[in-house]
């Protein structure tokens, strides 16, 4: 079983705990959700499965995704930022989160008829796909057909996929300042091909200011916005009015 000990006890034991460094905070007052979040934080990809299955008896998959899985991963990000977590912990945590997401997706089921296609990807050179995995799950749950190109996707491949699948919307995720530069390139290539599809870009690296600096770009702050944005695109709303509606 892959588990990680919290560093909290070690810090406490040696009296280094003054700023609570390394101590995971509770992310929910709901005991069931908190337990799942703790499995994410501890990177326990075995313990999380029965916990999620149990939670799904009384809670919706979206409650579990938002209230426990994303909340737990946010706590992991915080522990990383304060220097308490390192790459191995973060990888185990994202594996555990993915097990939880897959179980929620299973329980959401798939509606028989798909509403429209959305092409999703994580930027070229970037393997940070956790945000994209959440976006995929939420779009699937809301009846969209997700053309999931995965992570580290070359600019040309995204453009080709859009030409081939003719989606109502395209999404991109970038967590690094070095990789987000792929987004304006994609937007320019799409426009050069006469394609005016809304291109929603999110991920820790990108800001509203950046994404709205190129045509087609709409900034996505939270993964939970993706289904609403896809509904707008499906209804025929153009990228410029979507930008006005979703961005400030
Ligand atoms: C997890 C993580 C990893 C994991 C990735 C696992 C995986 N499968 O994704 C691992 C350990 C592999 C990793 C590796 C690396 N990482 Co890293 N990593 C992180 C960490 C800790 C958390 C990121 C995360 O997943 N957050 C949680 C998710 C849910 O957030 P998110 O993707 O932003 O998504 C949210 C929103 O942005 C939005 N969203 C995202 N996409 C979309 C799309 C749409 C349509 C919408 C609507 C919304 C939306 O919705 C989500 C919330 O609801 C961050 C630190 C941090 N605090 O962010 C560093 C961080 C991103 N990593 C960083 C770096 C440098 C690296 C490495 C280069 C490190 C190294 N030296 O090897 C490597 C490799 C990188 C590569 N080539 O891609 C830097 C990037 C610095 C920068 N600004 O350029 C960060 C910021 C750490 C730091 N402070 O230095 N990392």
């Amino acid at each position: 079983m892959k588990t990680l000990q919290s560093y909290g006890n070690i810090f406490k034991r040696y009296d280094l705990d003054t700023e609570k460094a390394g101590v995971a905070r509770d992310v929910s007052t709901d005991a069931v959700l908190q337990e799942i979040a703790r499995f994410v934080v501890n990177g326990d990809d075995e313990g999380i499965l029965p916990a999620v299955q149990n939670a799904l008896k009384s809670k919706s998959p979206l409650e579990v995704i938002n209230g426990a899985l994303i909340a737990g991963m946010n706590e992991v990000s915080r522990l990383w930022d304060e220097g308490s977590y390192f790459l191995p912990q973060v990888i185990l945590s994202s594996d555990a989160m993915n097990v939880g997401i897959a179980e929620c997706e299973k329980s959401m089921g798939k509606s028989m008829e798909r509403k429209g296609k959305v092409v999703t990807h994580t930027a070229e050179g970037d393997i940070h796909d956790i945000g994209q995995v959440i976006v995929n799950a939420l779009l699937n749950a809301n009846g969209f057909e997700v053309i999931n190109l995965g992570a580290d996707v070359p600019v040309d491949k995204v453009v080709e996929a859009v030409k081939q699948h003719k989606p109502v919307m395209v999404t991109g995720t970038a967590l690094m300042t070095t990789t987000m530069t792929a987004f304006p390139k994609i937007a320019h290539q799409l426009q050069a091909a006469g394609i005016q599809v809304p291109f929603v870009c999110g991920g820790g690296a990108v800001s509203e200011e950046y994404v709205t600096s190129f045509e087609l770009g709409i900034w996505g702050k939270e993964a939970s916005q993706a289904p609403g944005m896809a509904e707008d695109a499906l209804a025929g709303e153009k990228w410029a009015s979507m930008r006005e509606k979703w961005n400030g």
Side-chain angles (χ1 to χ4, degrees), residues 209-222:
E209 196 188 2
Y210 183 71
V211 178
T212 55
S213 70
F214 51 89
E215 296 198 344
L216 304 187
I218 299 153
W219 180 55
K221 183 171 191 269
E222 298 288 336

Side-chain angles (χ1 to χ4, degrees), residues 121-123 126 128 172-177 179-181 183 201-206:
H121 86 287
T122 296
D126 204 323
H128 295 93
T173 296
L175 271 287
M176 298 198 295
T177 41
T179 59
M180 66 183 190
T181 50
F183 294 156
C201 304
V206 298

Side-chain angles (χ1 to χ4, degrees), residues 73-152:
M73 205 56 216
N74 285 341
E75 185 56 13
V76 171
S77 299
R78 192 190 65 76
L79 288 164
W80 167 287
D81 286 341
E82 73 172 23
S84 301
Y85 264 30
F86 300 95
L87 293 187
Q89 285 97 331
V90 172
I91 290 170
L92 294 183
S93 289
S94 71
D95 285 351
M97 189 201 76
N98 283 339
V99 169
I101 293 266
E103 195 57 24
C104 289
E105 273 196 289
K106 219 162 82 186
S107 127
M108 287 187 282
K110 292 192 183 205
S111 55
M112 294 306 282
E113 252 183 60
R114 300 268 108 187
K115 293 176 185 169
K117 292 180 185 175
V118 180
V119 167
T120 73
H121 86 287
T122 296
E124 182 162 12
D126 204 323
I127 59 167
H128 295 93
D129 64 353
I130 296 174
Q132 189 202 350
V133 167
I134 298 168
V135 166
N136 289 344
L138 298 179
L139 287 170
N140 255 323
N142 283 277
F144 289 91
E145 182 180 346
V146 176
I147 310 295
N148 172 13
L149 303 180
D152 184 12

Side-chain angles (χ1 to χ4, degrees), residues 7-18:
Y7 287 152
N9 289 339
I10 301 169
F11 283 112
K12 274 200 194 97
R13 173 87 172 75
Y14 290 96
D15 209 16
L16 296 170
D17 190 20
T18 46

